[in-house]
mmCIF file of all heavy atoms in Angstrom:
data_model
loop_
_atom_site.group_PDB
_atom_site.id
_atom_site.type_symbol
_atom_site.label_atom_id
_atom_site.label_comp_id
_atom_site.label_asym_id
_atom_site.label_seq_id
_atom_site.Cartn_x
_atom_site.Cartn_y
_atom_site.Cartn_z
ATOM 1 N N TRP A 695 112.975 66.910 72.313
ATOM 2 C CA TRP A 695 113.946 66.405 73.288
ATOM 3 C C TRP A 695 115.357 66.649 72.762
ATOM 4 O O TRP A 695 116.254 66.958 73.486
ATOM 5 C CB TRP A 695 113.664 64.912 73.582
ATOM 6 C CG TRP A 695 114.779 64.152 74.280
ATOM 7 C CD1 TRP A 695 115.457 63.090 73.824
ATOM 8 C CD2 TRP A 695 115.272 64.412 75.599
ATOM 9 N NE1 TRP A 695 116.352 62.643 74.755
ATOM 10 C CE2 TRP A 695 116.275 63.477 75.856
ATOM 11 C CE3 TRP A 695 114.991 65.344 76.577
ATOM 12 C CZ2 TRP A 695 116.988 63.391 77.046
ATOM 13 C CZ3 TRP A 695 115.774 65.334 77.780
ATOM 14 C CH2 TRP A 695 116.699 64.333 77.985
ATOM 15 N N THR A 714 111.353 68.809 76.254
ATOM 16 C CA THR A 714 110.473 67.883 76.916
ATOM 17 C C THR A 714 110.989 67.546 78.277
ATOM 18 O O THR A 714 110.298 66.904 79.082
ATOM 19 C CB THR A 714 110.266 66.600 76.163
ATOM 20 O OG1 THR A 714 111.568 66.037 75.961
ATOM 21 C CG2 THR A 714 109.605 66.799 74.814
ATOM 22 N N GLY A 715 112.220 67.967 78.617
ATOM 23 C CA GLY A 715 112.880 67.550 79.883
ATOM 24 C C GLY A 715 113.409 68.693 80.647
ATOM 25 O O GLY A 715 113.371 69.871 80.224
ATOM 26 N N ALA A 716 113.997 68.349 81.782
ATOM 27 C CA ALA A 716 114.597 69.362 82.642
ATOM 28 C C ALA A 716 115.926 69.868 82.031
ATOM 29 O O ALA A 716 116.286 71.042 82.218
ATOM 30 C CB ALA A 716 114.898 68.764 84.016
ATOM 31 N N GLY A 717 116.584 68.977 81.291
ATOM 32 C CA GLY A 717 117.827 69.398 80.622
ATOM 33 C C GLY A 717 117.474 69.745 79.171
ATOM 34 O O GLY A 717 116.515 69.167 78.618
ATOM 35 N N ALA A 718 118.200 70.666 78.635
ATOM 36 C CA ALA A 718 117.902 71.109 77.269
ATOM 37 C C ALA A 718 119.138 71.176 76.392
ATOM 38 O O ALA A 718 119.160 71.755 75.349
ATOM 39 C CB ALA A 718 117.226 72.458 77.277
ATOM 40 N N GLN A 740 110.021 66.928 90.476
ATOM 41 C CA GLN A 740 111.194 66.286 89.921
ATOM 42 C C GLN A 740 112.313 66.024 90.908
ATOM 43 O O GLN A 740 112.895 64.960 91.005
ATOM 44 C CB GLN A 740 111.692 67.040 88.731
ATOM 45 C CG GLN A 740 112.780 66.321 87.999
ATOM 46 C CD GLN A 740 113.429 67.113 86.920
ATOM 47 O OE1 GLN A 740 113.693 68.334 87.107
ATOM 48 N NE2 GLN A 740 113.680 66.525 85.791
ATOM 49 N N ILE A 870 122.595 60.654 87.947
ATOM 50 C CA ILE A 870 121.297 61.040 87.485
ATOM 51 C C ILE A 870 121.418 62.333 86.644
ATOM 52 O O ILE A 870 120.427 62.961 86.331
ATOM 53 C CB ILE A 870 120.264 61.229 88.611
ATOM 54 C CG1 ILE A 870 120.766 62.148 89.689
ATOM 55 C CG2 ILE A 870 119.891 59.897 89.214
ATOM 56 C CD1 ILE A 870 120.568 63.590 89.415
ATOM 57 N N GLY A 871 122.664 62.664 86.302
ATOM 58 C CA GLY A 871 122.920 63.891 85.491
ATOM 59 C C GLY A 871 122.709 63.554 84.028
ATOM 60 O O GLY A 871 121.574 63.433 83.485
ATOM 61 N N ARG A 872 123.853 63.352 83.367
ATOM 62 C CA ARG A 872 123.820 62.956 81.965
ATOM 63 C C ARG A 872 124.922 61.855 81.745
ATOM 64 O O ARG A 872 125.987 61.907 82.442
ATOM 65 C CB ARG A 872 124.191 64.134 81.064
ATOM 66 C CG ARG A 872 123.039 65.076 80.867
ATOM 67 C CD ARG A 872 121.885 64.514 80.082
ATOM 68 N NE ARG A 872 120.791 65.465 79.842
ATOM 69 C CZ ARG A 872 119.632 65.431 80.492
ATOM 70 N NH1 ARG A 872 119.409 64.463 81.388
ATOM 71 N NH2 ARG A 872 118.704 66.268 80.222
ATOM 72 N N VAL A 897 121.406 57.353 83.476
ATOM 73 C CA VAL A 897 121.553 58.113 82.218
ATOM 74 C C VAL A 897 122.806 57.592 81.501
ATOM 75 O O VAL A 897 123.777 57.195 82.167
ATOM 76 C CB VAL A 897 121.680 59.617 82.467
ATOM 77 C CG1 VAL A 897 120.339 60.204 82.889
ATOM 78 C CG2 VAL A 897 122.684 59.899 83.607
ATOM 79 N N HIS A 920 116.590 55.852 82.474
ATOM 80 C CA HIS A 920 116.301 57.283 82.605
ATOM 81 C C HIS A 920 114.923 57.508 83.242
ATOM 82 O O HIS A 920 114.082 58.188 82.690
ATOM 83 C CB HIS A 920 116.385 57.950 81.207
ATOM 84 C CG HIS A 920 116.653 59.429 81.276
ATOM 85 N ND1 HIS A 920 117.523 60.059 80.371
ATOM 86 C CD2 HIS A 920 116.164 60.412 82.056
ATOM 87 C CE1 HIS A 920 117.551 61.335 80.662
ATOM 88 N NE2 HIS A 920 116.753 61.596 81.673
ATOM 89 N N ALA A 923 113.319 60.482 87.386
ATOM 90 C CA ALA A 923 112.078 61.314 87.495
ATOM 91 C C ALA A 923 111.482 61.397 86.129
ATOM 92 O O ALA A 923 112.204 61.346 85.102
ATOM 93 C CB ALA A 923 112.465 62.712 87.968
ATOM 94 N N GLN A 924 110.204 61.521 86.061
ATOM 95 C CA GLN A 924 109.565 61.704 84.761
ATOM 96 C C GLN A 924 108.519 62.837 84.919
ATOM 97 O O GLN A 924 107.545 62.661 85.596
ATOM 98 C CB GLN A 924 108.861 60.413 84.340
ATOM 99 C CG GLN A 924 109.883 59.306 84.173
ATOM 100 C CD GLN A 924 109.228 57.937 83.847
ATOM 101 O OE1 GLN A 924 108.504 57.847 82.832
ATOM 102 N NE2 GLN A 924 109.404 56.984 84.701
ATOM 103 N N ALA A 925 108.851 63.991 84.283
ATOM 104 C CA ALA A 925 107.922 65.097 84.364
ATOM 105 C C ALA A 925 106.588 64.631 83.781
ATOM 106 O O ALA A 925 106.558 63.920 82.783
ATOM 107 C CB ALA A 925 108.461 66.280 83.598
HETATM 108 C C1 OXD B 1170 115.931 65.154 81.914
HETATM 109 C C2 OXD B 1170 114.542 64.765 82.270
HETATM 110 O O1 OXD B 1170 116.149 66.285 81.462
HETATM 111 O O2 OXD B 1170 114.324 63.599 82.445
HETATM 112 O O3 OXD B 1170 116.802 64.301 82.049
HETATM 113 O O4 OXD B 1170 113.677 65.645 82.369
#
Side-chain angles (χ1 to χ4, degrees):
W695 166 241
T714 56
Q740 187 186 42
I870 52 85
R872 286 289 182 256
V897 286
H920 203 137
Q924 297 175 61

